[in-house]
Amino acid sequence: MKYGHFDNAKREYVIDRVDLPVSWTNYIGVEDMCAVMNHTAGGYVFYKSPQYHRITRFRPNGVPMDGPGHYVYISDAEDGDYWSVSWQPVGKPLDEARYTCRHGLSYSVYECDYKGISASQRLLVPLGDAVELWDVRVKNNSDRTRSLDVFSYCEFSFHHIDMDNQNFQMSLYASGSSYAEGVIEYDLFYEEFGYQYFTANFEPDGYDCVRDRFIGNYHTEANPAAVEKRSCSSSTEKGGNHCAALQKKLTLAPGEEARLIFLLGEGRRADGQRMREKYADPAAVDAAADALAAYWNAKLTKLQIATPNENMNTMLNTWNLYQAEINVMFSRFASFIEVGGRTGLGYRDTAQDAMCVPHSNPKKCRERIEQLLHGLVSKGYGLHLFDPAWFEPETEEKPFASPTVVPVPDAASRIHGLKDTCSDDALWLIPSIMEYVRETGDEAFLNRVIGYADGGEGTVYEHMKRILDFSAEQIGAHGVCKGLRADWNDCLNLGGGESALVSFLHVWALEHFLEAARCMDAADDIEKYEAMYGRVKHVCETELWDGDWFIRGFTKSGRKIGTHTDQEGKIHLESNAWAVLSGAATYEQGIKALDSVDRYLYTPYGIMLNGPSYTVPDEEVGFVTRVYPGVKENGSIFSHPNPWVWAAECRLGRGDRAMKFYDALCPARQNDMIEIRESEPYSYCQFIMGRDHTAFGRARHPFMTGSGGWAYFSATRYILGIRPQLDELLIDPCIPAEWDGFTATREWRGAVYHIEVRNPDHVMKGVRSLQLDGALADYIPPCAAGTEHTVVVVMG
Ligand code: GLC
């Protein structure tokens, strides 16, 4: 069953049936202001932080589903009937009214057609301005003149997620609203900078700022009293709950269309006036939309592909990079699942997210890497969750401080000890640094001096060494890296037990680091870390091989985890993928290990994390054994590690297998099975219920997941094989044998390469010849910025 389709020409996903089983979301805004909105205009907007600078209120995980939102109502004077431009909140029967939602890149459009009136509401946040524009059109398609009232509505938040959800004794009396000259101003008295405005490009015929006056007692957003009686009541107040309702009376002749612009912005009334003038002319709104399209186009054109796999083209050319970029921009904590209760950066997640976008967002990639380097403790481990602002110079802006006294931890207690350290966190940063350098050629970055979280400073290169040394020191009885609080798997809590995954990551990070050491000509380091590489690899080979696959580690008491005699958690995805991807496994081991993954863990919706799921709690293994079977970390199809297997298969040269696994997880491929998937087909989800769950195949938690970045990374760098190196653009595809080839356009260090890969012998891997601008070449060097080149790769 399907609910919509991809419109690739417009880079939009069109939801034709809006009665979806769950919210399908989008992210509106790419700078400081961002709204998370669903397919019926439910959602919330925040400024800089979803935790302490929220603008509109959201009642998460509630009934009705995912509201309130940013709504526009229309009421008809003829018969008093009313509806909303988005299907919810009024929810007209779908056999009487036609609704669609189009999610585009940083904008969404809600459309409805009812009783001869078509209307649409486009939401976008222009580049450079912290204002959400609601671009509303109302058209009379009937043959008679119609008198309509149009109302905006959204509910203001008390700015801080906690203040919105608990202890109202202060907040309820500290927020106020006022109306003057067409602009609603909302303020939170606690905060010097806590102002928002709501206005429109017309003179309103009515307004309400007090929520309960607009909605009315014993009414809801589905039937606001003001809309029912087609009249606002000019309410404002100091204290209470506030909203932004502006009313406009329209008289439309047959065929006539009105266009109204509403503006919801950060700042005071004067800022609202300024924005009102700036966007008074709808042409300015169209220009803002064009600028946003150009912004995304500039990113997406860094790599565009045409392969025989249409779903892959759709994902890689638009949606997968979009998701990866959003993760880097908003760092995981703004969605309908993570509703802003956490803020800051998760160490491992941010490091991996940053690694995937150096070509499309080098600035943000570098900024994130620098923030993580600041969050590194001098002993070489990362602060698992930290606020980069802790390590930034004080700004003019005062931090949010609630008058309800909550003790603020002092700087020293922000640095957690080993007990809270995740053994994998900082290892991810080394490849991210190297991917940034390979993409940009900015080798000088390695010499940049950056402070440690607990004091002192060192170059980026020195930070990398501390990370590697930490992992070399933190080893257990078998010489394998300790698991500590957790490794990549939050629910595997091994403490002093050992994690195969982390030792494999150590090998991988060492391989990346050695490239930096060679590039710096650091003979002593090359010697030291080559020896370390050899030692760790040896331990991996001797201690972790189980005969048909690699184990997941050892418990504190020395028991193997993920071995053939285990009845539950017999085999795990992470260690087997990384054994191969890191290069630690021999070819024969790699083939056997990934064949076992295919045999025990593959499903038509992707690869499960472990199997069979745990059912018996085991304290030595950790929380994973208490998670319901087939859910999240216990035997679900956890999406993030799936692309590790694609890349690992490519390292073995098995393009058919890589594509089988790619296709299984591909959201676009599940477009027509929404009765099973339920979630967005344009976004990877954090997990899909595994075989051991009754809802096998149901996807949950879109957008904010490491699979966004990793799917893009593995598919482009390993399957398509386009991998920037320090001084060449390597093209080393690993594709299905049946492909005749593919084409791609890749921008690298300012030059554009038009790449054609031919596969006349129908192999899966191997390059027989390479041509650059018509001449045979051994490799593709960085060409001058601004130039364009043709590359022909013949496989064989
Ligand atoms: C979540 C966390 C991530 C972790 C993963 C597996 O996605 O954000 O850090 O690696 O779960 O536990």
Side-chain angles (χ1 to χ4, degrees):
M1 185 192 290
K2 63 177 171 183
Y3 286 75
H5 63 275
F6 289 91
D7 182 340
N8 285 340
K10 289 194 181 145
R11 297 195 194 280
E12 286 179 348
Y13 189 87
V14 186
I15 299 164
D16 309 301
R17 265 193 71 173
V18 288
D19 56 341
L20 293 169
V22 292
S23 280
W24 288 10
T25 47
N26 194 15
Y27 286 76
I28 318 283
V30 293
E31 295 169 334
D32 288 340
M33 193 182 203
C34 177
V36 191
M37 302 303 292
N38 77 359
H39 60 291
T40 61
Y44 61 99
V45 63
F46 61 90
Y47 178 70
K48 290 188 180 170
S49 161
Q51 185 185 21
Y52 51 79
H53 211 125
R54 303 167 77 83
I55 295 176
T56 50
R57 188 167 284 158
F58 189 59
R59 283 180 270 281
N61 197 21
V63 177
M65 175 165 109
D66 299 325
H70 298 186
Y71 301 133
V72 172
Y73 298 91
I74 298 174
S75 101
D76 189 349
E78 224 167 58
D79 55 4
D81 196 5
Y82 59 88
W83 61 100
S84 42
V85 176
S86 48
W87 181 42
Q88 297 299 317
V90 176
K92 283 286 177 199
L94 291 175
D95 54 355
E96 291 172 25
R98 205 189 123 57
Y99 286 91
T100 58
C101 165
R102 291 189 281 127
H103 284 318
L105 304 187
S106 304
Y107 69 90
S108 289
V109 185
Y110 306 97
E111 294 165 321
C112 80
D113 213 326
Y114 181 61
K115 284 189 165 172
I117 303 292
S118 60
S120 69
Q121 175 190 9
R122 172 168 65 166
L123 297 181
L124 69 134
V125 175
L127 292 166
D129 289 322
V131 61
E132 186 188 64
L133 306 177
W134 306 11
D135 178 10
V136 176
R137 293 167 196 254
V138 185
K139 186 169 181 196
N140 177 5
N141 296 316
S142 71
D143 53 9
R144 59 194 192 280
T145 297
R146 305 286 285 270
S147 295
L148 306 170
D149 285 275
V150 178
F151 300 85
S152 67
Y153 177 78
C154 61
E155 183 178 336
F156 284 111
S157 153
F158 292 146
H159 287 192
H160 195 289
I161 182 154
D162 292 341
M163 282 165 49
D164 248 4
N165 289 298
Q166 65 190 33
N167 192 1
F168 300 113
Q169 52 130 348
M170 291 260 203
S171 35
L172 204 44
Y173 309 101
S175 65
S177 55
S178 65
Y179 175 89
E181 294 155 27
V183 185
I184 290 171
E185 187 183 75
Y186 172 70
D187 79 286
L188 198 70
F189 189 67
Y190 292 161
E191 286 185 282
E192 209 173 320
F193 305 101
Y195 288 88
Q196 280 86 38
Y197 59 84
F198 192 90
T199 185
N201 72 337
F202 53 82
E203 283 316 310
D205 297 306
Y207 64 88
D208 264 315
C209 306
V210 177
R211 178 192 71 183
D212 301 341
R213 294 292 293 284
F214 182 82
I215 298 286
N217 273 346
Y218 306 103
H219 285 243
T220 68
E221 291 105 0
N223 61 352
V227 177
E228 271 193 1
K229 63 182 193 315
R230 291 200 310 286
S231 170
C232 288
S233 53
S234 310
S235 59
T236 67
E237 201 161 63
K238 293 203 183 341
N241 288 297
H242 302 266
C243 70
L246 294 179
Q247 179 180 2
K248 175 74 183 158
K249 290 189 170 301
L250 296 176
T251 304
L252 296 178
E256 191 181 349
E257 184 181 71
R259 193 164 168 194
L260 311 173
I261 313 295
F262 296 92
L263 303 92
L264 168 62
E266 175 67 20
R268 303 202 62 164
R269 176 167 286 112
D271 299 304
Q273 292 292 11
R274 226 168 17 88
M275 286 300 118
R276 188 184 192 201
E277 276 165 36
K278 182 165 177 183
Y279 294 104
D281 183 348
V285 178
D286 292 336
D290 290 347
L292 259 182
Y295 168 93
W296 278 109
N297 211 39
K299 289 181 180 299
L300 294 164
T301 49
K302 301 280 189 226
L303 175 63
Q304 287 290 291
I305 61 157
T307 76
N309 186 332
E310 273 308 322
N311 291 318
M312 185 182 214
N313 298 344
T314 298
M315 291 307 298
L316 293 182
N317 285 338
T318 304
W319 295 97
N320 197 171
L321 185 67
Y322 182 58
Q323 179 176 5
E325 281 266 354
I326 285 170
N327 276 313
V328 179
M329 286 172 193
F330 302 112
S331 187
R332 302 282 188 98
F333 299 141
S335 67
F336 286 5
I337 308 300
E338 287 266 13
V339 282
R342 297 198 287 172
T343 204
L345 303 179
Y347 209 96
R348 77 162 78 90
D349 291 349
T350 307
Q352 292 170 82
D353 292 347
M355 182 185 72
C356 307
V357 299
H359 67 308
S360 58
N361 206 342
K363 198 165 153 251
K364 198 78 190 175
C365 170
R366 182 184 165 130
E367 183 189 318
R368 289 294 189 224
I369 289 172
E370 287 180 354
Q371 288 168 331
L372 293 172
L373 287 162
H374 271 295
L376 189 79
V377 177
S378 56
K379 284 200 179 76
Y381 61 89
L383 295 180
H384 187 63
L385 175 64
F386 71 101
D387 188 343
W390 295 345
F391 309 112
E392 282 162 12
E394 297 271 325
T395 58
E396 288 283 292
E397 220 166 301
K398 300 211 174 81
F400 173 83
S402 164
T404 307
V405 177
V406 180
V408 181
D410 62 19
S413 54
R414 291 168 179 164
I415 312 296
H416 64 66
L418 215 50
K419 190 164 79 49
D420 291 316
T421 297
C422 290
S423 49
D424 65 318
D425 271 345
L427 284 171
W428 297 104
L429 188 57
I430 294 176
S432 307
I433 293 167
M434 293 311 292
E435 286 301 333
Y436 169 76
V437 174
R438 290 183 193 113
E439 182 67 39
T440 58
D442 181 7
E443 289 173 14
F445 182 64
L446 298 173
N447 288 319
R448 198 177 142 69
V449 175
I450 291 185
Y452 292 103
D454 54 343
E457 57 181 27
T459 61
V460 170
Y461 180 77
E462 283 159 357
H463 278 68
M464 291 160 89
K465 292 201 282 183
R466 299 226 177 169
I467 296 169
L468 296 169
D469 293 347
F470 176 81
S471 293
E473 284 153 19
Q474 291 297 322
I475 52 174
H478 300 84
V480 175
C481 289
K482 284 184 189 162
L484 303 180
R485 168 86 179 247
D487 62 19
W488 170 86
N489 189 327
D490 280 334
C491 302
L492 200 75
N493 316 111
L494 301 177
E498 294 156 89
S499 161
L501 168 68
V502 180
S503 278
F504 292 136
L505 285 180
H506 197 194
V507 171
W508 187 56
L510 278 159
E511 195 186 26
H512 284 268
F513 169 78
L514 280 165
E515 224 184 312
R518 287 184 200 114
C519 153
M520 311 261 295
D521 257 337
D524 291 351
D525 289 339
I526 297 174
E527 198 187 323
K528 174 177 167 187
Y529 291 97
E530 273 181 350
M532 188 185 281
Y533 179 86
R535 270 198 313 277
V536 184
K537 207 165 167 231
H538 178 71
V539 167
C540 291
E541 277 162 12
T542 51
E543 302 290 343
L544 301 174
W545 181 241
D546 196 55
D548 280 316
W549 59 79
F550 287 90
I551 61 169
R552 184 65 175 80
F554 298 95
T555 66
K556 214 161 40 190
S557 62
R559 261 191 300 138
K560 284 182 181 174
I561 303 168
T563 178
H564 60 283
T565 51
D566 279 342
Q567 294 307 308
E568 302 187 337
K570 199 181 188 67
I571 166 168
H572 294 246
L573 183 167
E574 307 101 303
S575 47
N576 287 288
W578 276 104
V580 180
L581 186 47
S582 67
T586 62
Y587 180 75
E588 289 70 28
Q589 285 175 329
I591 294 284
K592 274 193 171 183
L594 295 191
D595 281 352
S596 299
V597 165
D598 186 42
R599 176 163 167 216
Y600 291 100
L601 301 178
Y602 169 77
T603 83
Y605 312 113
I607 306 167
M608 297 186 300
L609 199 52
N610 58 280
S613 307
Y614 290 103
T615 62
V616 182
D618 182 336
E619 295 311 326
E620 275 206 337
V621 175
F623 189 74
V624 61
T625 58
R626 293 183 177 276
V627 177
Y628 283 135
V631 179
K632 298 264 298 179
E633 278 88 342
N634 188 16
S636 85
I637 297 145
F638 212 93
S639 301
H640 180 155
N642 268 250
W644 299 345
V645 188
W646 316 343
E649 285 290 4
C650 290
R651 207 150 167 164
L652 296 177
R654 300 198 293 187
D656 286 343
R657 241 337 145 62
M659 192 55 66
K660 167 178 148 177
F661 293 152
Y662 178 90
D663 276 342
L665 193 75
C666 184
R669 210 183 120 266
Q670 297 178 5
N671 188 63
D672 297 358
M673 34 169 126
I674 298 304
E675 73 282 10
I676 299 170
R677 178 181 171 83
E678 293 197 346
S679 293
E680 297 82 328
Y682 49 86
S683 165
Y684 285 95
C685 285
Q686 188 201 51
F687 73 99
I688 296 173
M689 301 289 195
R691 203 177 265 138
D692 297 329
H693 193 275
T694 47
F696 179 39
R698 180 193 293 164
R700 282 294 182 267
H701 304 182
F703 276 105
M704 303 274 124
T705 134
S707 44
W710 262 104
Y712 190 79
F713 188 84
S714 289
T716 58
R717 283 187 167 66
Y718 287 90
I719 297 180
L720 303 181
I722 305 172
R723 286 201 292 282
Q725 306 291 302
L726 287 180
D727 37 38
E728 67 170 302
L729 181 64
L730 184 68
I731 302 177
D732 177 27
C734 182
I735 57 176
E738 64 172 30
W739 280 19
D740 292 328
F742 67 90
T743 59
T745 302
R746 175 64 151 92
E747 193 183 312
W748 181 50
R749 300 189 195 167
V752 175
Y753 301 85
H754 301 283
I755 302 162
E756 186 190 343
V757 173
R758 297 182 193 151
N759 189 19
D761 297 342
H762 290 274
V763 297
M764 293 192 278
K765 194 167 167 135
V767 171
R768 194 165 67 199
S769 71
L770 178 68
Q771 280 178 31
L772 176 62
D773 294 324
L776 281 180
D778 294 329
Y779 65 98
I780 304 166
C783 297
T787 57
E788 293 203 21
H789 305 273
T790 57
V791 175
V792 177
V793 178
V794 181
M795 294 178 69

